[in-house]
Amino acid sequence: MNTPMSNPDDLYVVRADHDGIATLTLNRASQFNALSQAMIGALQAELDAIAPDPAVRVVVIAGAGKAFCAGHDLKEMRANHHKTFMQDLFGRCGKMMMTLTQMPQPVIARVHGIATAAGCQLVSMCDLAVAVDSARFATSGINVGLFCATPGVGLSRNLGRKQALEMLLTGDFIDARTALQQGLVNRVVAADALDAEVDKLARSIIAKSSVAIGMGKQMFYKQLEMGLEAAYQYASEVMACNMMTDDAGEGIDAFIGKRKADWKGR
C-alpha cells in the first residue's frame, strides 16, 4: 500500500490502496482538478508505478472537491504562452492518456460534478466509467476559441461521429444520462451510491483471472486500429496463447468440476 510521507493536502494526486484497488484522486479541488503540468506528471508517476505491480488489479481515478476534472490549467497555459511549452504540455498529457490504455490493469473513472475538455478526455480514455446522475460532460474549449483536438481523439472512440462532433463544435454540456446513452460512461447512479457502484464493478473484475484481463485489454485496444481480417488473425493468436496459460486450464477445470477457480496468475 502506498503511504505518502508528505501531507496529502500538498500532493497533486493522492493514492489509496485496498484489496487490489488503487484509487488515484486528483487533488486540486480549488482549481477543479485542472490538469497542470505538475498534475499530469504526478498522475503519470503513479500510473508508471502501478502498471508493473501485480498486487494492483484495478485502478480508480477520482477527483477531490466539487468536480472530477475541469481540463487543462488555462492560467498556466496563458502564463507560458509559447509553442514549445504547449507542445511539451500536450505531449505529456497524451502520453499519460495512452498509459491508461497500455497498462494491464483496467482503469475506472469515478465521475462527479463536471468533466470538461481534457477532463472529459480523461473519462473517455479510462477503460470504464461510473458517473453520478448529476455529473455533466463537455469539450468546452471551443467556447474560448480552442478546438478540443486532443479530447476529440478519445471522444471519437467512445461516441458516434455526429455525437462527438456536436460536443466538439458546440462546447455544450451533456448530462450523465445522455453520456450513458451515447457510450461515454458505463453506469449512472445516485451520489450516495457512487462509491459502492465503483467498488462493485472493480470487484467483479478482480474476481477474474489477471492474466486473461491483462492479455484481453491489450488485445482490445490493439485490434481497434486494425482491419477486420487482421483483427481476427491477431485475436485468434491471443486466444490460442491465452488457452495455454495455467489460469485458462484452471478456469475450465473449475467450470467442469462446478467449483470456484483458484487463479494462479500465470
Side-chain angles (χ1 to χ4, degrees):
M1 178 173 177
N2 182 356
T3 306
M5 298 301 292
S6 303
N7 183 341
D9 292 339
D10 298 332
L11 300 176
Y12 284 93
V13 176
V14 176
R15 176 176 170 181
D17 292 37
H18 74 281
D19 301 330
I21 304 169
T23 298
L24 304 179
T25 302
L26 308 181
N27 195 40
R28 299 183 75 205
S30 61
Q31 289 81 34
F32 299 99
N33 302 313
L35 294 175
S36 63
Q37 269 201 336
M39 174 78 89
I40 292 168
L43 188 52
Q44 182 71 61
E46 292 290 358
L47 296 174
D48 288 344
I50 287 169
D53 186 353
V56 178
R57 297 291 313 281
V58 174
V59 178
V60 174
I61 296 183
K66 296 180 179 180
F68 176 72
C69 178
H72 285 293
D73 188 331
L74 297 179
K75 290 182 179 179
E76 180 183 70
M77 293 167 70
R78 287 299 290 160
N80 297 275
H81 195 240
H82 47 87
K83 191 173 181 180
T84 54
F85 177 86
M86 302 304 171
Q87 290 173 325
D88 182 67
L89 173 67
F90 294 125
R92 289 173 184 268
C93 188
K95 178 185 176 182
M96 182 271 291
M97 297 290 180
M98 286 299 298
T99 301
L100 298 172
T101 66
Q102 293 167 347
M103 62 195 304
Q105 299 93 341
V107 182
I108 303 172
R110 175 198 178 278
V111 188
H112 74 293
I114 60 169
T116 56
C120 189
Q121 178 186 5
L122 183 57
V123 175
S124 73
M125 293 301 290
C126 289
D127 303 306
L128 304 168
V130 180
V132 68
D133 54 13
S134 58
R136 298 191 300 152
F137 306 81
T139 47
S140 48
I142 199 67
N143 295 327
V144 295
L146 182 66
F147 187 85
C148 281
T150 46
V153 174
L155 202 66
S156 66
R157 286 161 170 76
N158 283 242
L159 280 63
R161 185 179 69 183
K162 287 182 170 59
Q163 287 83 7
L165 271 171
E166 181 174 345
M167 289 188 69
L168 292 164
L169 294 172
T170 67
D172 293 343
F173 278 97
I174 62 172
D175 60 25
R177 293 293 174 188
T178 302
L180 177 64
Q181 293 168 1
Q182 296 186 355
L184 184 58
V185 303
N186 298 86
R187 303 179 184 184
V188 172
V189 296
D192 59 2
L194 181 58
D195 287 327
E197 193 68 20
V198 170
D199 192 66
K200 177 182 176 183
L201 182 56
R203 292 186 185 282
S204 178
I205 295 167
I206 289 172
K208 312 306 189 297
S209 161
S210 61
V211 172
I213 292 289
M215 292 178 72
K217 176 176 171 177
Q218 181 184 49
M219 182 283 302
F220 180 82
Y221 285 109
K222 189 172 180 179
Q223 64 84 27
L224 283 176
E225 306 305 319
M226 297 178 175
L228 187 62
E229 184 175 357
Y232 267 113
Q233 290 174 349
Y234 171 58
S236 296
E237 178 64 19
V238 171
M239 285 207 74
C241 292
N242 195 168
M243 275 296 298
M244 302 310 296
T245 65
D246 291 344
D247 271 7
E250 166 62 14
I252 293 169
D253 289 346
F255 176 78
I256 294 171
K258 298 181 179 181
R259 60 175 175 82
K260 185 178 179 180
D262 180 17
W263 305 121
K264 307 299 182 183
R266 298 189 300 276

